[in-house]
Amino acid sequence: MRLTRPGFSASAMVLVLATSPAVAGDLSLWGDGSGTNNNDLLRASGDPCEHCVPNIPFEGDDPLAGFDWSLGLRAGMRDAGTGDGPGYVAIALPSITYTRETLRGGYDFGLAGEISHAFDGSDPRIGAISATAGGAYAVDELTVLDGRLNLSVSQDDPGGSDYASNVASAPLEVTGDVLFGASRDFGAFDVSARATAGRSVLGDTEYEDGTSSSNEYQNTTWFGGGARLGYKLTPGITAFFDAEADAEQYDTVSPSLLVDLDNVTYAGRAGLTARVDEMLELEGSIGLGYRDFEDAGVEDFTATLYDARATYRPDETLTITGAFTTTVSSPGQTSGAAAKREYAAAVDVAYQATPWLRLRADAGWSEAHYQGIDNDKYVWGGGLGADYLLNENTDLTADYSFERTETTPNPATDAHQVTLGVLLHR
């Protein structure tokens, strides 16, 4: 990372002027700097300063700092595909962010939330509240340190496909994690390292008959680290190798397997990144993951890891992004499973049709396979949206989304949602 120093040109000019002799006959309001031709330097302490500026004028907001806020209010109809028919929902989406840039990096703070209320007699639900704080610091022109702290509180919709029909309230989940990273440019080589640690805690699941069940067996603590080595094949193409190891520890044994699912997951990937000006960015990799369970009674397993992403910006009005990911994670509430392996793909399109109209579209697909059982889960769907700029601080929004979920051997369910709303922002 190359640092620019805005004060260099002005400082150089001051140095030149200070070391250049005054030419006879030149008129300078401030004198020639000799100490014998400067009235403001020779004046008595009580005399007014003719050319001093007592108060430097304020010229607007700090260009290196930014504070933004927004509040989205939406209302619409949702059919979860459970056979109960459509229901009506209201959603609030508040957000606050603050960013500050410095000569050696910068930092930011953010707070966002999603609060929804279904008009079916149930209480309002906190879909998600998240807070984040992070920053980056350039030690020198070639070395950068960065870190981030995240905290989130979320609660699923009990009417979703992951929950039984008699669930009245899904568990509240609190997750926090911290990430640290360092990178250095060695010319043809780029080297980076990272470390992370976190904790996730789930509350009880409540049922319509007034009973509840504990989800303590899903509480986890994790920590790990990784490194990445890149080699510049050409100015726009870089080959890389990425390796990481992550440990996961559970509070209690699995109630369905009656064993400890503590594990360490190792992963290695090799791939290429490519960049064509500001228009196209590509990355693709393939690798292997291995999950090693501490309990000998649980079978270890390996998984092939495929990952790719692309960003296409032909001009300032159109942005297309796509990604394909492979993840190995905990099985969640799936009984009898030791781990989950998931493949997912997503595409997002944003088009600025006019200065006051923005169009959006997205599509996604995923399939999950569970270690230890034959159940599989398939999800695919998409959505359309539009934002109309009413004035400088107000947008009108309209959205439609569709999602089909199939968890074998159960039949598939289709969910539809239509919302209209307003977005107030700074």
Side-chain angles (χ1 to χ4, degrees):
M1 176 179 178
R2 297 188 177 275
L3 297 180
T4 58
R5 301 182 182 276
F8 177 78
S9 297
S11 299
M13 183 61 70
V14 169
L15 183 61
V16 171
L17 292 176
T19 56
S20 300
V23 179
D26 285 353
L27 176 63
S28 174
L29 296 178
W30 292 273
D32 62 6
S34 65
T36 61
N37 189 29
N38 191 321
N39 293 329
D40 286 332
L41 292 179
L42 299 175
R43 65 186 174 86
S45 59
D47 295 341
C49 181
E50 182 180 359
H51 302 107
C52 296
V53 180
N55 295 305
I56 299 176
F58 182 70
E59 297 182 355
D61 295 336
D62 185 347
L64 299 180
F67 173 78
D68 292 292
W69 63 266
S70 67
L71 175 61
L73 301 173
R74 299 180 182 180
M77 180 182 67
R78 175 176 172 81
D79 186 348
T82 59
D84 296 332
Y88 298 94
V89 62
I91 305 172
L93 303 164
S95 174
I96 298 174
T97 59
Y98 175 80
T99 59
R100 171 75 182 185
E101 297 180 8
T102 67
L103 290 177
R104 288 185 175 269
Y107 54 88
D108 63 86
F109 305 93
L111 182 65
E114 177 184 340
I115 304 172
S116 63
H117 176 61
F119 295 94
D120 57 1
S122 61
D123 295 330
R125 177 176 61 88
I126 300 175
I129 294 179
S130 61
T132 182
Y137 177 77
V139 179
D140 53 41
E141 293 186 350
L142 303 176
T143 307
V144 178
L145 305 178
D146 62 85
R148 183 158 296 278
L149 176 66
N150 300 306
L151 178 65
S152 67
V153 179
S154 61
Q155 186 178 36
D156 289 339
D157 182 356
S161 59
D162 291 335
Y163 298 93
S165 58
N166 64 335
V167 172
S169 178
L172 195 68
E173 181 175 4
V174 180
T175 301
D177 61 66
V178 59
L179 303 94
F180 296 102
S183 62
R184 182 167 178 83
D185 186 352
F186 289 94
F189 291 93
D190 291 319
V191 178
S192 62
R194 60 188 182 274
T196 182
R199 171 78 174 162
S200 180
V201 177
L202 278 77
D204 294 345
T205 300
E206 299 180 0
Y207 300 93
E208 294 179 350
D209 60 3
T211 61
S212 64
S213 62
S214 173
N215 293 289
E216 186 181 6
Y217 67 95
Q218 297 186 63
N219 297 345
T220 56
T221 301
W222 67 89
F223 53 90
R228 177 166 170 152
L229 172 65
Y231 176 71
K232 299 181 180 66
L233 301 175
T234 70
I237 300 178
T238 300
F240 70 88
F241 176 75
D242 189 285
E244 66 178 300
D246 298 285
E248 185 179 46
Q249 297 180 344
Y250 289 79
D251 286 4
T252 62
V253 300
S254 167
S256 57
L257 298 176
L258 301 179
V259 295
D260 196 336
L261 295 181
D262 292 355
N263 65 84
V264 179
T265 301
Y266 306 93
R269 297 180 176 87
L272 295 171
T273 64
R275 182 183 180 94
V276 181
D277 297 326
E278 299 292 333
M279 182 179 67
L280 182 63
E281 296 179 17
L282 301 171
E283 180 176 310
S285 66
I286 186 171
L288 191 66
Y290 175 72
R291 174 158 287 200
D292 180 17
F293 290 96
E294 293 185 6
D295 194 304
V298 183
E299 183 180 359
D300 302 338
F301 74 95
T302 60
T304 304
L305 307 176
Y306 305 96
D307 289 275
R309 63 177 178 84
T311 301
Y312 178 59
R313 301 185 189 91
D315 54 51
E316 61 182 10
T317 65
L318 178 64
T319 300
I320 303 174
T321 60
F324 185 93
T325 59
T326 306
T327 57
V328 177
S329 61
S330 60
Q333 301 185 69
T334 304
S335 178
K340 180 174 72 172
R341 182 177 70 255
E342 184 176 27
Y343 301 98
V347 176
D348 291 276
V349 180
Y351 176 59
Q352 193 73 38
T354 69
W356 55 85
L357 179 62
R358 183 171 183 262
L359 304 177
R360 297 174 279 104
D362 64 84
W365 160 89
S366 69
E367 67 173 52
H369 307 281
Y370 296 91
Q371 177 72 6
I373 60 175
D374 293 332
N375 291 19
D376 300 316
K377 183 178 180 179
Y378 303 90
V379 179
W380 65 271
L384 298 171
D387 304 316
Y388 182 80
L389 180 62
L390 194 62
N391 57 48
E392 183 181 3
N393 303 110
T394 308
D395 296 350
L396 301 180
T397 65
D399 291 270
Y400 166 77
S401 63
F402 166 80
E403 182 178 270
R404 165 165 286 194
T405 304
E406 180 180 359
T407 303
T408 59
N410 300 323
T413 60
D414 295 338
H416 303 263
Q417 179 169 291
V418 178
T419 60
L420 299 174
V422 59
L423 177 64
L424 308 175
H425 56 85
R426 183 176 183 270

